[in-house]
Amino acid sequence: MMEIQTSKSDLVFLVICALLGLLAELSFFHGEIGISYFLFVTAFYWAFFCRFRGFPFTNRRIGFLLLFCIWLLSAGYFLYCNTLFYALNILVIPVLVILHVILITGSPTMDWYRLSFIPYAFSKLFALFPYNIVFFAKEKENVKTKVDNKAYQVITKIGIGLLISVPLLLIVVNLLSSADSEFSRVIDRFPSLFVHVNLLEGSFRTIVVLLYTFGFFGFLQLLKSKWEPPALLEMKGKPKFWDPVIVSTLLVMINAVYVLFVTIQFQYFFSGNLQDSYTFAEYARRGFFELMAVTMINLTFLIGTLSFSKESGKGIRLFIKVMLTLLVAVSGVMLISAFMRLSLYESAYGYTLARVLPHSFMIFLGVIFLYTLINVWIERLSLIRFYLVSSLVYYTLLNMVNIDQFVVDQNLQRYKDTGKIDIYYLDSLSYTGVHGLLDLYESHPDLPGLEKALSDRKKYTFAEDHSWQSFNIVKRSVRERLQEFSK
């Protein structure tokens, strides 16, 4: 059982966590999330830095990067309207926040890029449950020592009575409001938070607030106490069990096949000409997925060789480096070929998120391969650390470049060049796509199906939730433009 010391500041912080829990419930359980996510993240970090004022933070560089990415991702909820990232970031942001506060309050010697950090983070997170139990047991004893037993029992009974009265009052207020319209009007003058709350809904929301309150309190208090889980901070050196001779043989065989393949197929890769046995779509799509699969296999083999190969003599080590360099080179050719095939498919069938996102991922893979090539010759560089940081930066950039807008712009440009456009796909891109449809309507109002799509969207948009939590800049702009749309 962990030993803790309590003080008045702990109780003050508990009240702050209760307010934070209430804000979390208001932000995430009252309709579509918009600016509320950014406001909550800001409030959370205000409470965090107030509580940890003067605390000796560690891992500052990665900490600043994580904090910057967290704020950008949360800002995306009111800056852009991407359905994919809307769903992903509901989980990604809390994970990043948990990792961030653990990192900057943990040991300065912590290897956050090691696998051992995962069980370490889990042990920190789940320790909040026993911490809360111990804390409130300690507070109970403190209260008992300050008041006599009879007064303590009275206070306890009053607290129990208040807890029981809350759901009972909810039922009574609802029944009386239904029975008397004048009473209902009086109740309606109270803040909407307390009006006509369904018993089941009110109980659920109360439980959510309490869970958030004790979750924030226990977790942050635990971090402030600098409690460290036993035997999880350090990890022994990487196991080296790949024999260099076997690795060399594999590299020679694999590279021989790849060099032959690239040499024979080079014109086929980059000419854009169709083979007789393939349709246009099959040519682009099949080639893309096959080449991407081979590229990912090559990357995995590269990482495994650099991480798990046994030490060897200078000659064989140099030979392996040359073979790995060749493997990176042919992988780069395949990556470029896959990139061009997907571009070919987009030019024929239009731009979608499902096509643009793989394009961006291939650029990211190109960066990964380049760094891996540098690591082949400069062994002291850390692969895993770079992969984690670059993945975080890549994901954040994807959120910030407004990829929906890019897809809309490319499709509108394609319409100018070819006269082809899928208005129903643009409509599916939420409010960013509607912006594109409105731009298209201004120049081509007679395009078949466009007027009806905008009319349907107008009805749907003004029937949506308009709460402060769901405020979004793109959504507001579209609503203003749709108001001017008279059809």
Side-chain angles (χ1 to χ4, degrees):
M1 181 79 65
M2 63 183 73
E3 292 293 332
I4 61 174
Q5 299 295 325
T6 63
S7 63
K8 289 183 179 179
S9 63
D10 296 325
L11 298 178
V12 173
F13 185 61
L14 178 59
V15 174
I16 293 175
C17 288
L19 295 174
L20 203 57
L22 180 60
L23 179 60
E25 195 276 331
L26 288 172
S27 298
F28 305 133
F29 294 89
H30 290 262
E32 186 178 355
I33 300 172
I35 197 172
S36 58
Y37 213 134
F38 180 79
L39 293 177
F40 171 76
V41 168
T42 302
F44 174 85
Y45 274 105
W46 173 83
F48 172 77
F49 286 116
C50 282
R51 183 56 175 162
F52 284 76
R53 187 169 43 201
F55 189 90
F57 291 120
T58 58
N59 302 296
R60 290 176 177 267
R61 285 187 297 178
I62 185 64
F64 279 124
L65 176 63
L66 277 169
L67 182 60
F68 184 63
C69 291
I70 288 166
W71 254 315
L72 287 179
L73 294 177
S74 62
Y77 275 94
F78 73 92
L79 292 176
Y80 308 119
C81 262
N82 185 290
T83 306
L84 175 63
F85 293 130
Y86 177 95
L88 287 176
N89 289 334
I90 289 176
L91 296 176
V92 170
I93 294 175
V95 170
L96 291 180
V97 169
I98 291 170
L99 294 179
H100 174 241
V101 295
I102 289 176
L103 270 174
I104 63 176
T105 58
S107 169
T109 60
M110 181 191 311
D111 289 336
W112 53 267
Y113 49 89
R114 304 286 190 194
L115 285 177
S116 58
F117 181 70
I118 297 175
Y120 171 78
F122 273 109
S123 63
K124 279 280 195 179
L125 182 62
F126 290 114
L128 70 89
F129 299 107
Y131 180 90
N132 276 317
I133 293 172
V134 174
F135 176 85
F136 286 104
K138 184 77 172 178
E139 279 302 308
K140 180 180 178 181
E141 294 299 322
N142 290 342
V143 171
K144 275 187 175 182
T145 59
K146 293 178 181 178
V147 298
D148 58 57
N149 188 55
K150 187 175 180 179
Y152 176 78
Q153 290 179 0
V154 171
I155 294 172
T156 303
K157 290 176 182 178
I158 291 174
I160 294 172
L162 290 173
L163 288 175
I164 296 174
S165 67
V166 170
L168 184 60
L169 283 175
L170 291 174
I171 296 173
V172 170
V173 167
N174 277 295
L175 291 175
L176 293 177
S177 297
S178 301
D180 189 285
S181 58
E182 184 61 31
F183 180 78
S184 179
R185 281 194 291 270
V186 172
I187 294 297
D188 285 340
R189 295 171 187 168
F190 287 88
S192 59
L193 181 63
F194 304 101
V195 178
H196 298 303
V197 181
N198 178 272
L199 176 60
L200 182 61
E201 180 185 349
S203 300
F204 170 75
R205 295 189 185 281
T206 301
I207 291 172
V208 168
V209 171
L210 291 175
L211 288 175
Y212 272 119
T213 298
F214 296 127
F216 295 145
F217 179 76
F219 183 54
L220 296 181
Q221 285 286 99
L222 192 69
L223 294 179
K224 196 171 190 301
S225 68
K226 289 190 174 183
W227 174 81
E228 299 291 352
L232 282 175
L233 282 178
E234 295 183 2
M235 182 178 179
K236 301 298 182 181
K238 292 180 291 187
K240 304 277 188 176
F241 53 87
W242 286 20
D243 186 87
V245 176
I246 296 176
V247 169
S248 299
T249 305
L250 283 171
L251 284 170
V252 170
M253 299 300 292
I254 291 173
N255 280 332
V257 174
Y258 286 156
V259 169
L260 179 63
F261 182 74
V262 170
T263 301
I264 295 175
Q265 302 281 335
F266 194 84
Q267 185 175 358
Y268 164 65
F269 275 2
F270 300 102
S271 67
N273 296 324
L274 294 178
Q275 286 189 341
D276 294 335
S277 58
Y278 290 116
T279 66
F280 192 86
E282 288 174 338
Y283 169 78
R285 295 188 69 178
R286 283 193 60 180
F288 166 74
F289 288 114
E290 290 166 352
L291 291 174
M292 281 298 294
V294 171
T295 302
M296 293 304 297
I297 291 172
N298 292 351
L299 180 60
T300 303
F301 187 67
L302 268 168
I303 296 172
T305 301
L306 292 172
S307 302
F308 304 118
S309 290
K310 294 179 181 178
E311 297 296 329
S312 57
K314 289 184 179 180
I316 193 168
R317 186 185 306 170
L318 178 62
F319 179 76
I320 289 176
K321 289 182 177 182
V322 172
M323 288 294 100
L324 288 176
T325 302
L326 181 58
L327 183 61
V328 171
V330 294
S331 297
V333 172
M334 293 179 184
L335 198 59
I336 294 171
S337 177
F339 190 93
M340 294 182 68
R341 287 172 186 264
L342 190 56
S343 298
L344 187 65
Y345 191 80
E346 286 172 335
S347 65
Y349 296 102
Y351 293 81
T352 66
L353 280 177
R355 296 165 194 164
V356 173
L357 285 175
H359 252 147
S360 70
F361 183 67
M362 282 186 277
I363 296 173
F364 171 66
L365 277 181
V367 175
I368 290 295
F369 270 111
L370 181 61
Y371 184 85
T372 306
L373 177 60
I374 296 173
N375 185 259
V376 169
W377 297 97
I378 306 177
E379 298 178 12
R380 68 176 181 272
L381 298 177
S382 172
L383 275 179
I384 302 301
R385 185 184 302 181
F386 178 82
Y387 290 165
L388 292 174
V389 171
S390 59
S391 297
L392 176 63
V393 172
Y394 164 70
Y395 181 78
T396 305
L397 285 176
L398 274 185
N399 279 261
M400 289 295 104
V401 296
N402 197 1
I403 198 166
D404 276 359
Q405 188 63 56
F406 175 81
V407 171
V408 170
D409 292 342
Q410 293 301 312
N411 278 290
L412 292 179
Q413 183 60 48
R414 179 173 173 268
Y415 177 72
K416 292 179 182 178
D417 297 338
T418 66
K420 298 177 181 178
I421 194 165
D422 186 348
I423 62 173
Y424 301 104
Y425 178 74
L426 290 185
D427 189 37
S428 71
L429 288 176
S430 189
Y431 292 94
T432 306
V434 180
H435 258 310
L437 292 180
L438 288 166
D439 292 339
L440 190 61
Y441 184 80
E442 290 176 358
S443 57
H444 300 84
D446 298 327
L447 189 66
L450 179 56
E451 185 177 305
K452 184 180 184 304
L454 287 172
S455 297
D456 293 342
R457 172 59 75 165
K458 183 176 182 179
K459 296 175 185 177
Y460 173 76
T461 299
F462 286 97
E464 284 185 325
D465 177 38
H466 295 268
S467 62
W468 68 266
Q469 291 95 333
S470 62
F471 174 80
N472 180 277
I473 292 175
V474 178
K475 185 187 299 186
R476 180 179 179 179
S477 176
V478 167
R479 283 175 175 165
E480 290 175 352
R481 293 187 68 183
L482 283 175
Q483 282 180 335
E484 301 172 0
F485 178 74
S486 58
K487 301 297 181 180

